[in-house]
Amino acid sequence: MIDVALLKEICELPGAPGFEKKIRDFIVEKAGKLVDEISIDNIGNVIAIKKGVRNPDNKRVMVAAHMDEIGFIVTHIDDNGFIRFHTLGGFDPKTLTAQRVIIHGKEKDIMGVMGTKPIHVMTTEEKSKLPKISDYFIDLGMDKAEVEQWIQVGDPITRERDLVEMGNCVNCKSIDNRISVFILLETLRTLEAPAYDVYATFTVQEEVGIRGAQVSAHTIDPDFGIALDTTIAFDLPGAAAHEKITELGKGTAIKIMDSSAICDYRMVAFMKETATKNNIPFQTEILTAGGTDTAGVQRMGRRGAIAGAISIPTRHLHQVIEMANKNDVLASIQLLKASLEEIDGFDWSH
C-alpha cells in the first residue's frame, strides 16, 4: 500500500501560490537523494533529473506535479484587527464557512477563523443569497495593535486541516495537488531504469494560471510531457452517469482532454497500452472545465511536446475535505513508472 505518513507530511505543509518555500524545501530534501541532478529555477520550480539508460538521442521526458495549494493573501487589517484577503486560486465561497486558516506572518504562524455575518441577524433576503468571497473576513481573536505585531499586508494564508484515513481513502486539504507530489517522489524512489532522461518537475503557481509549468517547459524543452494532477470524481448522490468524469476506486485516470489541453492522441494510446500490458486499472478522463500543467508542458517548449496526463480521481475538490482512493494512487505510481521505463518501445510517428 501507500506511505500514508509521507503523504500526510506533504499535504499538511503550507505552500500558497508564490509562497511555496516550505514545501519546496521538503521536496528538495527528499528528491535530492533520488536523482542525478537537482536545481531550483528563478520562479521556484524544482527540477530533478534522473538519467535515462537507453537514450542515444538525448530525449527528455518532463513530468510535472504542481506543489502549490489554493490559498489567500492578506490585503487589509481593519481598525478592530479583522483581516480582509484575496484568493489565490479558485474557491467556491460557501466552502469557507466555519473554517480555520493559518496566516504565515513575519515571525510565526497565526491561527484564524473565517467569519461572516451570523445567520441570526441576516434578513430573509440575505439568507436566500449565495455567499460571496467578499462576505468573509478572518478573525484572529486579537486587536489591531496585537495583529500588527505579527501580520502585515501581503502575508500568505493557507487552510488548516489534518490528513485522516477513511475506509480505503485519504482525506485532507490540498490533496490537489500534493497527492501528485507524493506520486512523483514515490516513482523516483522506485524508478531504476528510465528509458529517456526524466525531468521530474515540481512546479509553482499552477493554481493561478500554470505559471511554473510554462517557465520550466520553456527551460527543459521536453520531447515528451506527462502532467500529474487531480481530477473530478463526481461519483456522488444525484450525479448522472455522464457527469461523473471519474470514480474513486476504478483506477488511475488517463486524460484525454481538459479545458486547457487536448492530449496528444499518441500519448493517450501509449498510456492505455502500457496500463493494459501491466495490468494497471485505469479509466479515461475528459474534463471540460478546469485546466492543468498539461497545457504548459505541451506548448511552451520550442518544438512543443508529445504530452498527456495521469490524473488522480478526487472527490470534493478545492475544499478542505478532498478525498482520494489509495488503490487509485498506487495505480498512478505504477502507470507513471511503467510509462517512463517503456516509452522508447512505442511508435511515436504521426
Side-chain angles (χ1 to χ4, degrees):
M1 289 304 294
I2 68 170
D3 186 345
V4 175
L6 175 61
L7 177 60
K8 176 180 172 68
E9 199 170 359
I10 292 169
C11 286
E12 293 178 7
L13 281 168
F19 300 90
E20 296 95 349
K21 179 175 172 50
K22 287 185 179 179
I23 182 63
R24 177 168 50 244
D25 289 349
F26 180 89
I27 289 167
V28 169
E29 178 191 354
K30 296 293 185 183
K33 305 168 186 176
L34 305 172
V35 297
D36 299 304
E37 300 174 32
I38 192 165
S39 61
I40 303 171
D41 67 15
N42 287 340
I43 199 173
N45 298 305
V46 176
I47 302 174
I49 305 172
K50 199 156 192 169
K51 293 294 186 178
V53 297
R54 298 183 299 278
N55 195 20
D57 297 323
N58 296 316
K59 298 286 187 182
R60 300 178 177 188
V61 185
M62 178 178 172
V63 184
H66 75 85
M67 70 176 92
D68 59 309
E69 59 179 323
I70 56 173
F72 315 92
I73 190 168
V74 175
T75 60
H76 179 71
I77 304 169
D78 76 13
D79 291 340
N80 295 308
F82 296 108
I83 304 292
R84 294 290 181 173
F85 58 88
H86 180 70
T87 55
L88 298 175
F91 282 91
D92 178 352
K94 68 177 181 290
T95 66
L96 304 186
T97 301
Q99 297 297 334
R100 291 193 183 107
V101 296
I102 302 169
I103 303 182
H104 305 280
K106 301 175 223 178
E107 298 178 14
K108 67 176 185 177
D109 295 342
I110 304 293
M111 187 76 72
V113 295
M114 283 285 181
T116 190
K117 188 173 183 178
I119 194 168
H120 311 77
V121 294
M122 285 183 178
T123 66
T124 301
E125 183 182 4
E126 286 172 330
K127 290 178 184 177
S128 66
K129 290 182 178 178
L130 290 172
K132 306 185 296 295
I133 293 290
S134 58
D135 293 335
Y136 293 88
F137 53 85
I138 297 172
D139 184 352
L140 301 178
M142 305 175 187
D143 61 26
K144 184 176 185 179
E146 190 175 2
V147 169
E148 289 183 333
Q149 290 180 41
W150 308 109
I151 305 299
Q152 61 187 346
V153 169
D155 285 341
I157 306 163
T158 58
R159 301 158 302 155
E160 185 272 337
R161 190 61 61 99
D162 293 339
L163 184 143
V164 296
E165 296 179 69
M166 302 172 64
N168 197 40
C169 296
V170 287
N171 188 285
C172 195
K173 61 99 177 171
S174 306
I175 294 290
D176 177 8
N177 189 37
R178 300 300 174 73
I179 199 77
S180 296
V181 170
F182 171 81
I183 287 167
L184 187 48
L185 285 172
E186 287 293 89
T187 301
L188 289 174
R189 184 177 62 81
T190 59
L191 183 64
E192 295 180 354
Y196 299 152
D197 293 354
V198 175
Y199 286 70
T201 310
F202 301 87
T203 63
V204 297
Q205 299 191 46
E206 187 272 351
E207 295 290 2
V208 289
I210 60 174
R211 298 172 188 177
Q214 292 175 339
V215 171
S216 52
H218 181 73
T219 301
I220 295 166
D221 191 24
D223 299 280
F224 303 91
I226 300 173
L228 303 174
D229 209 334
T230 54
T231 190
I232 294 287
F234 186 36
D235 53 341
L236 302 171
H242 68 278
E243 296 177 312
K244 292 181 179 180
I245 312 298
T246 63
E247 299 178 65
L248 260 57
K250 296 291 182 70
T252 189
I254 296 172
K255 187 185 292 290
I256 296 173
M257 66 166 286
D258 60 30
S259 67
S260 63
I262 298 171
C263 295
D264 194 295
Y265 68 92
R266 294 167 293 176
M267 183 61 76
V268 174
F270 167 65
M271 287 185 177
K272 287 180 177 180
E273 180 181 293
T274 303
T276 301
K277 183 167 64 174
N278 290 278
N279 297 311
I280 300 167
F282 74 92
Q283 52 196 307
T284 54
E285 174 216 5
I286 292 181
L287 183 66
T288 55
T292 62
D293 277 346
T294 313
V297 174
Q298 186 180 54
R299 301 176 197 168
M300 297 307 294
R302 290 193 304 274
R303 299 158 298 151
I306 300 172
I310 296 171
S311 300
I312 302 86
T314 307
R315 289 178 185 160
H316 320 303
L317 273 176
H318 283 210
Q319 303 182 48
V320 293
I321 53 167
E322 294 174 337
M323 183 184 294
N325 182 280
K326 294 176 188 176
N327 291 341
D328 297 341
V329 176
L330 185 59
S332 301
I333 295 168
Q334 293 168 339
L335 179 56
L336 178 59
K337 180 175 182 289
S339 296
L340 295 174
E341 290 174 342
E342 300 174 20
I343 197 167
D344 63 329
F346 188 77
D347 179 4
W348 293 102
S349 60
H350 269 296

